[in-house]
Amino acid sequence: MSAFTAINLAPASAPVAAKSTTPLVFTALAGSFIANLGAQFAGTNLADIQGSLGVSADEVSWVTTIYSAANFFGFVASPVLARALGLRRLFLASAVAFAVIAWLCSSATSLPFLLFLRALHGFVGGTFGPMAFVALFRAWNGPRLPFGLALLAFVLLVSVNAGPVVSGYLEAAVGWRGLFLTQGLVGVTLVFAGLRWLPASPANLSELKSDWVAALLLAVATSSLLMVISQGTRRFWFESPLIATLATVGIGAWIGFTVMYFVSPIRIVNLRKFLDPRFGAPITMNFIIRATFSITVYALPLLLGFTQGYRPLEMANALQWNLVPQIAAFPLAWWLVSRHDGRVSMLIGLLACFFGVALASDASNLTAAAQLHASLALIGAGQMLFLVPGVMIGAGSIKPEDGPTAAIAFNMSTVGGTAIGTGLLSHFTTEREKFHSSVLVEHVSWLNPFQSDRLTALADKLATRTGDETLATARAVAQIGAGVRREAWLLAINDAFVLVAVVLLLTTFVVVFIGPAPPPVRIRSGDLQ
């Protein structure tokens, strides 16, 4: 019997003891949801932060990169801290720190200070994800676990897509500083929820005995990789001393972690677990599907920014067509995994994402949000149909001793997949824009009679307004150049859509390696121990 089948599904009439743990689980899931949601707030409003602090676009991009990189340090530390301090103490400490740092971010007046705070914020935010795993497996480790894992998938997915939507409306109402103040208020709410619903437990400081050197090396290795890929395109990759240094540090950290893994008696993760297809394949596919989030995080905002000049509020209105179908697809995903092989829902989800991305790949300079509604809806619903069984299969196959491995792996693949996928797609799009631009420029020449006549006509029209033929000609050339550049970017964005569609289609073949994943067995509540 497979691990997926062995997880029993209880009916609605669960025992009272199980019902009493519901607030605990929902409090821990809320912490993970808020941390992931807040991570998206700054990313969708970088232009306003840039203008307020008076920095360049390349400099302000570190506001999101440093947060995601710091998440990895929280991921590796959280399982050990939860065992040593107890879930309640760690949750309350993280919630207080999350609220205080968010308030300080709202008052930042310089980029270095904001980056320092965002690094701290990222570390604290990174502790919430593994805590959700710990709370779920402690409280619902039994017949309620399948639905708990489905809820975890919902939280990990919806929080990311809800970020740009919520922040768009908040930023329009209270400005970018208000986004951080809102996170602070929500952090205070988490403190009260933790005080009310999380049970006290004795501290066990002996659990702090762990291979902290290996943990630090793993965090440095993964965060360095993320920063190199996220910032590489902006800084021309290894032509930048910073990127070269980060890559060197990352390679050294990977080597050090590998050595420590084989010589240390205490291992923070079990790498052998990744060889299990029922664990390794879902983790890999989670990383891939998260990488395709670059469509909604990067490609679509870039497209609508070029064609329609969308601001965060307009993007929030557009991305509702991704978020609402995604939430609505959760009951369908649960119904499918409850009655059919989990791979059925995964395949349907991947194919829905494939068709959604493919539909968007013929964008033009007239494309607006209305032309992307079907694409956004298919992508949103498909992501939910894929991730629910993916998390249930991957996490449902772990043993108690592999809990830290699962918590770290799922959270790293979630955050890393999105950030690394966006960085790689950004590089691909930039390179394709250079290619299309060079091809288009070859066809825009004075020697081309059609282009020459068009330029002359445009210059004559502008001369009637300015009265200066030299200035009119310069403006005509500038307009044509801007048109060529816009068309090159549109073609490059379409190429990015095609690339992601191909990746999604190829990912469907990975589902085969998972093996059969029958639906959870239903048992009567009277049979529960």
Side-chain angles (χ1 to χ4, degrees):
M1 182 177 291
S2 69
F4 194 35
T5 307
I7 299 175
N8 295 322
L9 180 62
S13 57
V16 175
K19 287 186 177 180
S20 64
T21 62
T22 299
L24 183 156
V25 171
F26 275 75
T27 299
L29 290 176
S32 180
F33 185 92
I34 295 304
N36 289 332
L37 183 75
Q40 309 303 314
F41 278 11
T44 55
N45 295 275
L46 288 179
D48 294 317
I49 299 176
Q50 174 189 349
S52 177
L53 300 182
V55 295
S56 68
D58 289 344
E59 291 172 329
V60 79
S61 66
W62 281 100
V63 171
T64 55
T65 302
I66 203 71
Y67 183 95
S68 298
N71 275 165
F72 290 96
F73 291 86
F75 293 155
V76 299
S78 184
V80 177
L81 294 177
R83 293 196 303 268
L85 305 178
L87 184 64
R88 176 186 172 94
R89 291 186 183 88
L90 179 59
F91 185 92
L92 292 175
S94 297
V96 170
F98 189 84
V100 172
I101 297 171
W103 178 77
L104 292 174
C105 286
S106 69
S107 59
T109 56
S110 66
L111 183 63
F113 183 53
L114 180 60
L115 292 179
F116 171 74
L117 294 175
R118 288 290 287 175
L120 294 178
H121 216 197
F123 172 77
V124 173
T127 63
F128 284 105
M131 277 193 283
F133 267 85
V134 172
L136 184 60
F137 277 88
R138 284 184 184 178
W140 285 2
N141 189 17
R144 303 188 79 185
L145 184 57
F147 187 67
L149 293 173
L151 286 177
L152 180 62
F154 179 91
V155 166
L156 293 175
L157 183 58
V158 173
S159 58
V160 175
N161 287 322
V165 177
V166 175
S167 66
Y169 291 111
L170 279 177
E171 193 273 340
V174 296
W176 71 268
R177 296 184 185 277
L179 296 176
F180 290 109
L181 288 175
T182 302
Q183 292 182 63
L185 294 175
V186 174
V188 172
T189 304
L190 289 177
V191 172
F192 285 109
L195 290 171
R196 176 64 179 85
W197 300 114
L198 297 183
S201 59
N204 184 8
L205 298 184
S206 63
E207 290 288 349
L208 287 175
K209 184 180 179 181
S210 183
D211 191 349
W212 288 104
V213 175
L216 179 62
L217 288 172
L218 177 60
V220 171
T222 51
S223 61
S224 297
L225 173 64
L226 184 147
M227 288 188 286
V228 167
I229 294 179
S230 296
Q231 292 290 325
T233 300
R234 291 179 177 273
R235 300 178 180 276
F236 303 100
W237 294 96
F238 297 107
E239 295 180 16
S240 167
L242 176 61
I243 298 300
T245 301
L246 286 173
T248 303
V249 170
I251 293 172
W254 278 115
I255 295 174
F257 170 73
T258 303
V259 173
M260 293 299 298
Y261 179 80
F262 289 104
V263 302
S264 175
I266 304 176
R267 294 176 176 175
I268 59 172
V269 293
N270 179 16
L271 296 183
R272 294 181 182 273
K273 188 64 181 175
F274 290 91
L275 299 178
D276 180 359
R278 301 190 63 79
F279 181 79
I283 291 293
T284 301
M285 288 190 293
N286 181 54
F287 181 89
I288 294 173
I289 202 73
R290 288 290 177 171
T292 64
F293 274 43
S294 55
I295 289 295
T296 53
V297 172
Y298 169 76
L300 284 174
L302 181 65
L303 170 64
L304 295 177
F306 264 108
T307 60
Q308 305 297 328
Y310 275 20
R311 293 271 298 149
L313 181 59
E314 289 81 10
M315 280 305 307
N317 290 327
L319 292 177
Q320 287 185 33
W321 286 86
N322 175 260
L323 179 62
V324 174
Q326 187 166 92
I327 296 173
F330 179 72
L332 175 60
W334 176 244
W335 181 85
L336 284 172
V337 298
S338 299
R339 290 164 175 79
H340 303 282
D341 190 300
R343 294 176 297 175
V344 173
S345 181
M346 297 180 77
L347 287 172
I348 293 174
L350 286 171
L351 290 175
C353 290
F354 164 76
F355 286 114
V357 175
L359 283 175
S361 63
D362 62 344
S364 69
N365 59 356
L366 300 178
T367 298
Q371 285 74 49
L372 297 172
H373 287 170
S375 296
L376 289 168
L378 284 171
I379 293 171
Q383 289 170 342
M384 182 63 72
L385 292 173
F386 167 82
L387 197 62
V388 167
V391 172
M392 291 176 65
I393 296 171
S397 65
I398 65 173
K399 300 176 181 178
E401 60 268 23
D402 294 324
T405 299
I408 293 172
F410 269 104
N411 283 280
M412 281 190 171
S413 62
T414 295
V415 173
T418 304
I420 292 174
T422 301
L424 291 176
L425 194 68
S426 171
H427 174 70
F428 175 82
T429 307
T430 301
E431 293 302 313
R432 293 300 295 172
E433 186 276 333
K434 294 177 182 177
F435 169 78
H436 289 300
S437 181
S438 64
V439 173
L440 291 173
V441 166
E442 291 180 0
H443 294 81
V444 180
S445 169
W446 287 99
L447 302 179
N448 186 320
F450 175 77
Q451 295 295 337
S452 178
D453 292 343
R454 181 183 177 188
L455 182 61
T456 301
L458 182 58
D460 291 342
K461 185 176 181 179
L462 292 173
T464 60
R465 299 180 180 180
T466 63
D468 187 331
E469 292 186 1
T470 302
L471 178 61
T473 302
R475 288 185 176 180
V477 171
Q479 283 192 21
I480 292 178
V484 170
R485 180 171 178 269
R486 181 177 63 251
E487 189 64 25
W489 274 109
L490 286 172
L491 292 171
I493 294 170
N494 286 338
D495 290 345
F497 288 139
V498 172
L499 174 66
V500 173
V502 171
V503 170
L504 287 167
L505 191 60
L506 293 177
T507 306
T508 58
F509 296 100
V510 183
V511 177
V512 178
F513 294 99
I514 297 176
V521 177
R522 293 178 176 272
I523 64 175
R524 295 174 299 178
S525 58
D527 297 332
L528 296 173
Q529 299 296 326

